[in-house]
Amino acid sequence: MHLRMTGVPMHRLRILSLTTAAAALAVMAAACGGDDDDGGSITVYSGRSEALVAPIIEDFTEETGIKVNVKYAGTDAAAALLLEEGGKSPADVFFSQDGGALGAVREAGLLATLPGSITGLVPEQYRASDGSWVGISGRSRVVVYNPGLVSASDLPASYKDLTSAKWKGKVGWAPANASFQAFITAVRKVDGEDAAKAWLEAMAKNDAKTYANNNAIVSAVASGEISLGVVNPTTSGASSGTGGRSTRRTTASPPATRAHSSTSPAPPS
């Protein structure tokens, strides 16, 4: 089964924001005020890892000659620093990994309005209605399952189906995980506060097993401790490699776990 990707927001400070590699380059150019011909430099606060962001930075510098100073940190830490620095922050661009931190920085009035030449690169549902940020990458929530315990035909069609009695005590989740919380934010935005609360309460009542993170969930599914788990498709073992696959249509030896995409809401705007 194919994974369905949903956009994840990024940002820009008085502070610019970001989207795909092309839009990321455009955002960083906009942060320079359009004077890229003379070189110069900009500062980026990145809540995304260096392994993911550095190639984009390198492409930008090669294309424009502009030096980029990058401060890498966890998204929450980067957002907290921006809020502490306020209008005196040296940041020009903010890469955020989730919508919660983005919302806090936006509410503090630290995000500049992006020009239409940048927001127009991104579908409307993946950018802020006020032009304060655009999406730079996508992430779906998937159900990773043990094919030795669950047949493909029995997999849930939606995350909402995980509250069914047939899955009582068989599902793992990581409520403290930032990406899970971002997913719940999307549910609140799309389906409403009451629906999100009802789903969370139903999951707890259905004895969903709590784990520290996505990797722990995948390990528990692989060992047969639980049958299903709600994780990111990029989690080790949930997307590729010996631990799992991101699609059912594999002809290789059956992995310990496989990932199955279920219907989930798009991120908030």
Side-chain angles (χ1 to χ4, degrees), residues 159-164 173 180 183-184 187-189 191-208:
Y159 72 96
K160 297 177 181 179
D161 297 333
L162 294 173
T163 59
S164 169
W173 64 350
F180 180 86
F183 162 69
I184 295 302
V187 174
R188 292 168 56 201
K189 178 70 175 181
D191 295 333
E193 296 282 348
D194 291 343
K197 181 180 179 181
W199 184 78
L200 289 169
E201 291 177 342
M203 284 289 286
K205 186 176 181 180
N206 212 33
D207 293 336

Side-chain angles (χ1 to χ4, degrees), residues 14-259:
R14 240 142 242 122
I15 285 170
L16 295 165
S17 168
L18 299 122
T19 178
T20 54
L25 297 177
V27 169
M28 288 187 283
C32 301
D35 298 326
D36 6 299
D37 291 341
D38 297 324
S41 66
I42 61 172
T43 298
V44 174
Y45 281 15
S46 178
R48 297 294 282 165
S49 69
E50 185 173 358
L52 295 174
V53 174
I56 299 175
I57 300 297
E58 292 171 2
D59 286 347
F60 173 77
T61 297
E62 182 177 349
E63 186 173 307
T64 66
I66 299 169
K67 178 182 178 181
V68 181
N69 303 306
V70 188
K71 180 184 289 293
Y72 292 102
T75 290
D76 290 345
L81 180 59
L82 287 171
L83 294 174
E84 181 180 347
E85 294 172 337
K88 296 181 179 180
S89 176
D92 298 297
V93 177
F94 177 33
F95 272 93
S96 174
Q97 182 168 287
D98 63 71
L102 170 62
V105 175
R106 178 170 65 174
E107 289 178 8
L110 296 175
L111 300 186
T113 300
L114 291 165
S117 59
I118 292 176
T119 58
L121 295 172
V122 184
E124 185 176 358
Q125 67 267 37
Y126 300 139
R127 64 177 190 253
S129 57
D130 63 359
S132 61
W133 58 261
V134 291
I136 187 171
S137 61
R139 170 182 287 167
S140 59
R141 298 298 291 173
V142 301
V143 170
V144 62
Y145 69 101
N146 187 319
L149 300 175
V150 182
S151 66
S153 60
D154 287 335
L155 291 170
S158 165
Y159 72 96
K160 297 177 181 179
D161 297 333
L162 294 173
T163 59
S164 169
K166 70 184 292 184
W167 303 120
K168 187 176 180 65
K170 299 179 180 180
V171 180
W173 64 350
N177 181 266
S179 58
F180 180 86
Q181 294 175 4
F183 162 69
I184 295 302
T185 296
V187 174
R188 292 168 56 201
K189 178 70 175 181
V190 174
D191 295 333
E193 296 282 348
D194 291 343
K197 181 180 179 181
W199 184 78
L200 289 169
E201 291 177 342
M203 284 289 286
K205 186 176 181 180
N206 212 33
D207 293 336
K209 305 302 181 184
T210 298
Y211 294 88
N213 52 47
N214 292 316
N215 286 334
I217 293 173
V218 172
S219 294
V221 172
S223 69
E225 182 177 322
I226 52 177
S227 300
L228 306 172
V230 183
V231 300
N232 293 331
T234 52
T235 301
S236 177
S239 57
S240 62
T242 58
R245 297 283 297 179
S246 61
T247 172
R248 290 189 205 155
R249 298 188 300 174
T250 175
T251 57
S253 299
T257 60
R258 296 178 186 173

